[in-house]
mmCIF file of all heavy atoms in Angstrom:
data_model
loop_
_atom_site.group_PDB
_atom_site.id
_atom_site.type_symbol
_atom_site.label_atom_id
_atom_site.label_comp_id
_atom_site.label_asym_id
_atom_site.label_seq_id
_atom_site.Cartn_x
_atom_site.Cartn_y
_atom_site.Cartn_z
ATOM 1 N N THR B 17 18.567 -27.788 -3.492
ATOM 2 C CA THR B 17 19.838 -27.012 -3.501
ATOM 3 C C THR B 17 19.530 -25.566 -3.816
ATOM 4 O O THR B 17 18.696 -25.280 -4.700
ATOM 5 C CB THR B 17 20.795 -27.573 -4.539
ATOM 6 O OG1 THR B 17 20.821 -28.983 -4.407
ATOM 7 C CG2 THR B 17 22.184 -26.997 -4.397
ATOM 8 N N GLU B 21 24.495 -22.437 -3.473
ATOM 9 C CA GLU B 21 25.240 -23.708 -3.332
ATOM 10 C C GLU B 21 25.667 -24.219 -4.694
ATOM 11 O O GLU B 21 26.785 -24.687 -4.896
ATOM 12 C CB GLU B 21 24.409 -24.726 -2.578
ATOM 13 C CG GLU B 21 24.269 -24.406 -1.109
ATOM 14 C CD GLU B 21 23.085 -25.131 -0.437
ATOM 15 O OE1 GLU B 21 22.222 -25.673 -1.163
ATOM 16 O OE2 GLU B 21 23.005 -25.096 0.779
ATOM 17 N N TYR B 42 18.326 -16.787 4.941
ATOM 18 C CA TYR B 42 17.529 -15.672 5.482
ATOM 19 C C TYR B 42 17.245 -14.631 4.390
ATOM 20 O O TYR B 42 16.175 -14.117 4.257
ATOM 21 C CB TYR B 42 18.294 -15.079 6.667
ATOM 22 C CG TYR B 42 17.537 -14.061 7.460
ATOM 23 C CD1 TYR B 42 16.291 -14.365 8.014
ATOM 24 C CD2 TYR B 42 18.058 -12.791 7.654
ATOM 25 C CE1 TYR B 42 15.626 -13.453 8.767
ATOM 26 C CE2 TYR B 42 17.385 -11.862 8.413
ATOM 27 C CZ TYR B 42 16.170 -12.177 8.956
ATOM 28 O OH TYR B 42 15.491 -11.276 9.703
ATOM 29 N N SER B 62 17.781 -13.342 -4.575
ATOM 30 C CA SER B 62 18.887 -13.641 -3.656
ATOM 31 C C SER B 62 19.191 -15.130 -3.790
ATOM 32 O O SER B 62 18.323 -15.987 -3.574
ATOM 33 C CB SER B 62 18.472 -13.300 -2.231
ATOM 34 O OG SER B 62 17.242 -13.870 -1.905
ATOM 35 N N LEU B 91 26.315 0.919 0.025
ATOM 36 C CA LEU B 91 25.389 1.189 1.116
ATOM 37 C C LEU B 91 25.928 0.630 2.432
ATOM 38 O O LEU B 91 25.782 1.231 3.503
ATOM 39 C CB LEU B 91 24.025 0.595 0.814
ATOM 40 C CG LEU B 91 23.128 1.318 -0.190
ATOM 41 C CD1 LEU B 91 21.944 0.482 -0.579
ATOM 42 C CD2 LEU B 91 22.645 2.647 0.388
ATOM 43 N N ALA B 94 28.575 2.830 3.723
ATOM 44 C CA ALA B 94 28.029 4.081 4.239
ATOM 45 C C ALA B 94 27.500 3.901 5.633
ATOM 46 O O ALA B 94 27.456 4.846 6.415
ATOM 47 C CB ALA B 94 26.925 4.585 3.317
ATOM 48 N N GLN B 103 34.846 -4.290 4.732
ATOM 49 C CA GLN B 103 36.010 -3.680 4.046
ATOM 50 C C GLN B 103 36.592 -4.648 3.057
ATOM 51 O O GLN B 103 36.940 -4.274 1.933
ATOM 52 C CB GLN B 103 37.050 -3.274 5.073
ATOM 53 C CG GLN B 103 36.676 -2.090 5.906
ATOM 54 C CD GLN B 103 37.666 -1.856 7.016
ATOM 55 O OE1 GLN B 103 38.765 -2.391 7.023
ATOM 56 N NE2 GLN B 103 37.280 -1.046 7.990
ATOM 57 N N HIS B 109 35.843 -6.009 -4.477
ATOM 58 C CA HIS B 109 35.048 -5.514 -5.608
ATOM 59 C C HIS B 109 35.485 -4.150 -6.064
ATOM 60 O O HIS B 109 34.762 -3.486 -6.807
ATOM 61 C CB HIS B 109 33.555 -5.540 -5.234
ATOM 62 C CG HIS B 109 33.020 -6.907 -5.107
ATOM 63 N ND1 HIS B 109 33.138 -7.641 -3.970
ATOM 64 C CD2 HIS B 109 32.388 -7.707 -6.011
ATOM 65 C CE1 HIS B 109 32.580 -8.822 -4.150
ATOM 66 N NE2 HIS B 109 32.114 -8.899 -5.376
ATOM 67 N N GLN B 114 32.176 5.759 -0.966
ATOM 68 C CA GLN B 114 30.724 5.697 -0.911
ATOM 69 C C GLN B 114 30.208 7.129 -0.960
ATOM 70 O O GLN B 114 30.868 8.054 -0.517
ATOM 71 C CB GLN B 114 30.241 4.924 0.319
ATOM 72 C CG GLN B 114 30.574 5.564 1.654
ATOM 73 C CD GLN B 114 29.560 6.585 2.052
ATOM 74 O OE1 GLN B 114 28.509 6.652 1.437
ATOM 75 N NE2 GLN B 114 29.892 7.392 3.013
ATOM 76 N N ASP B 122 26.795 -0.182 14.301
ATOM 77 C CA ASP B 122 27.483 -1.375 14.747
ATOM 78 C C ASP B 122 26.898 -2.637 14.154
ATOM 79 O O ASP B 122 27.495 -3.701 14.168
ATOM 80 C CB ASP B 122 27.422 -1.472 16.280
ATOM 81 C CG ASP B 122 28.202 -0.348 16.931
ATOM 82 O OD1 ASP B 122 29.150 0.124 16.297
ATOM 83 O OD2 ASP B 122 27.816 0.088 18.041
ATOM 84 N N LEU B 128 22.548 -13.185 11.551
ATOM 85 C CA LEU B 128 23.323 -14.424 11.817
ATOM 86 C C LEU B 128 23.260 -14.797 13.290
ATOM 87 O O LEU B 128 23.081 -15.956 13.635
ATOM 88 C CB LEU B 128 24.792 -14.202 11.398
ATOM 89 C CG LEU B 128 25.110 -14.398 9.916
ATOM 90 C CD1 LEU B 128 26.586 -14.066 9.687
ATOM 91 C CD2 LEU B 128 24.863 -15.803 9.475
ATOM 92 N N GLU B 135 19.141 -21.683 16.240
ATOM 93 C CA GLU B 135 19.242 -22.942 15.527
ATOM 94 C C GLU B 135 20.407 -23.825 15.993
ATOM 95 O O GLU B 135 20.313 -25.046 15.955
ATOM 96 C CB GLU B 135 19.368 -22.684 14.028
ATOM 97 C CG GLU B 135 18.110 -22.048 13.454
ATOM 98 C CD GLU B 135 18.340 -21.486 12.059
ATOM 99 O OE1 GLU B 135 19.341 -21.823 11.427
ATOM 100 O OE2 GLU B 135 17.484 -20.700 11.624
ATOM 101 N N GLY B 143 16.551 -11.756 19.616
ATOM 102 C CA GLY B 143 15.671 -11.682 18.449
ATOM 103 C C GLY B 143 15.630 -10.255 17.957
ATOM 104 O O GLY B 143 16.266 -9.369 18.510
ATOM 105 N N ARG B 145 13.821 -6.702 17.278
ATOM 106 C CA ARG B 145 12.767 -5.841 17.848
ATOM 107 C C ARG B 145 12.618 -4.637 16.928
ATOM 108 O O ARG B 145 13.552 -4.213 16.281
ATOM 109 C CB ARG B 145 13.166 -5.338 19.235
ATOM 110 C CG ARG B 145 13.400 -6.347 20.304
ATOM 111 C CD ARG B 145 14.824 -6.587 20.709
ATOM 112 N NE ARG B 145 15.765 -5.469 20.676
ATOM 113 C CZ ARG B 145 16.323 -4.950 21.752
ATOM 114 N NH1 ARG B 145 15.999 -5.376 22.961
ATOM 115 N NH2 ARG B 145 17.230 -4.027 21.642
ATOM 116 N N THR B 152 16.288 -3.502 15.826
ATOM 117 C CA THR B 152 17.532 -3.816 16.517
ATOM 118 C C THR B 152 17.517 -5.302 16.908
ATOM 119 O O THR B 152 16.476 -5.938 16.902
ATOM 120 C CB THR B 152 17.703 -2.997 17.825
ATOM 121 O OG1 THR B 152 16.510 -3.132 18.577
ATOM 122 C CG2 THR B 152 17.984 -1.560 17.531
ATOM 123 N N GLY B 154 18.325 -7.909 20.064
ATOM 124 C CA GLY B 154 18.541 -7.849 21.489
ATOM 125 C C GLY B 154 17.640 -8.829 22.206
ATOM 126 O O GLY B 154 16.882 -9.598 21.554
ATOM 127 N N PHE B 157 12.862 -6.733 25.975
ATOM 128 C CA PHE B 157 12.857 -5.650 26.953
ATOM 129 C C PHE B 157 14.243 -5.322 27.499
ATOM 130 O O PHE B 157 14.387 -4.736 28.587
ATOM 131 C CB PHE B 157 11.914 -5.955 28.136
ATOM 132 C CG PHE B 157 10.561 -6.341 27.693
ATOM 133 C CD1 PHE B 157 10.127 -7.659 27.819
ATOM 134 C CD2 PHE B 157 9.695 -5.433 27.109
ATOM 135 C CE1 PHE B 157 8.894 -8.045 27.389
ATOM 136 C CE2 PHE B 157 8.439 -5.809 26.685
ATOM 137 C CZ PHE B 157 8.034 -7.130 26.813
ATOM 138 N N TYR B 172 30.695 -14.720 17.724
ATOM 139 C CA TYR B 172 31.554 -15.475 16.830
ATOM 140 C C TYR B 172 31.128 -15.323 15.373
ATOM 141 O O TYR B 172 31.929 -15.207 14.464
ATOM 142 C CB TYR B 172 31.545 -16.939 17.260
ATOM 143 C CG TYR B 172 32.327 -17.816 16.319
ATOM 144 C CD1 TYR B 172 33.725 -17.767 16.277
ATOM 145 C CD2 TYR B 172 31.675 -18.695 15.432
ATOM 146 C CE1 TYR B 172 34.471 -18.543 15.417
ATOM 147 C CE2 TYR B 172 32.388 -19.499 14.562
ATOM 148 C CZ TYR B 172 33.782 -19.402 14.555
ATOM 149 O OH TYR B 172 34.483 -20.188 13.679
ATOM 150 N N GLY B 193 42.879 -1.838 2.527
ATOM 151 C CA GLY B 193 44.272 -2.080 2.316
ATOM 152 C C GLY B 193 44.663 -3.534 2.577
ATOM 153 O O GLY B 193 45.505 -4.087 1.867
ATOM 154 N N LYS B 204 53.346 4.483 11.598
ATOM 155 C CA LYS B 204 53.424 3.918 12.945
ATOM 156 C C LYS B 204 53.009 4.933 14.002
ATOM 157 O O LYS B 204 52.311 4.584 14.950
ATOM 158 C CB LYS B 204 54.857 3.458 13.224
ATOM 159 C CG LYS B 204 55.157 2.103 12.590
ATOM 160 C CD LYS B 204 54.772 0.970 13.552
ATOM 161 C CE LYS B 204 55.338 -0.339 13.052
ATOM 162 N NZ LYS B 204 54.336 -1.327 12.776
ATOM 163 N N ASP B 205 53.440 6.165 13.795
ATOM 164 C CA ASP B 205 53.182 7.156 14.852
ATOM 165 C C ASP B 205 51.704 7.339 15.123
ATOM 166 O O ASP B 205 51.292 7.696 16.209
ATOM 167 C CB ASP B 205 53.847 8.488 14.490
ATOM 168 C CG ASP B 205 53.416 8.946 13.100
ATOM 169 O OD1 ASP B 205 53.214 8.059 12.254
ATOM 170 O OD2 ASP B 205 53.257 10.138 12.875
ATOM 171 N N MET B 210 46.794 1.671 19.251
ATOM 172 C CA MET B 210 45.889 0.640 18.714
ATOM 173 C C MET B 210 46.636 -0.266 17.757
ATOM 174 O O MET B 210 47.641 0.125 17.146
ATOM 175 C CB MET B 210 44.694 1.284 18.002
ATOM 176 C CG MET B 210 45.074 2.129 16.830
ATOM 177 S SD MET B 210 43.733 3.203 16.331
ATOM 178 C CE MET B 210 42.581 2.034 15.762
#
Side-chain angles (χ1 to χ4, degrees):
Chain B
T17 313
E21 288 160 347
Y42 189 55
S62 51
L91 285 169
Q103 288 173 14
H109 290 84
Q114 65 83 14
D122 294 331
L128 277 177
E135 294 167 15
R145 299 107 32 115
T152 50
F157 309 108
Y172 175 73
K204 281 271 192 240
D205 53 326
M210 61 196 293

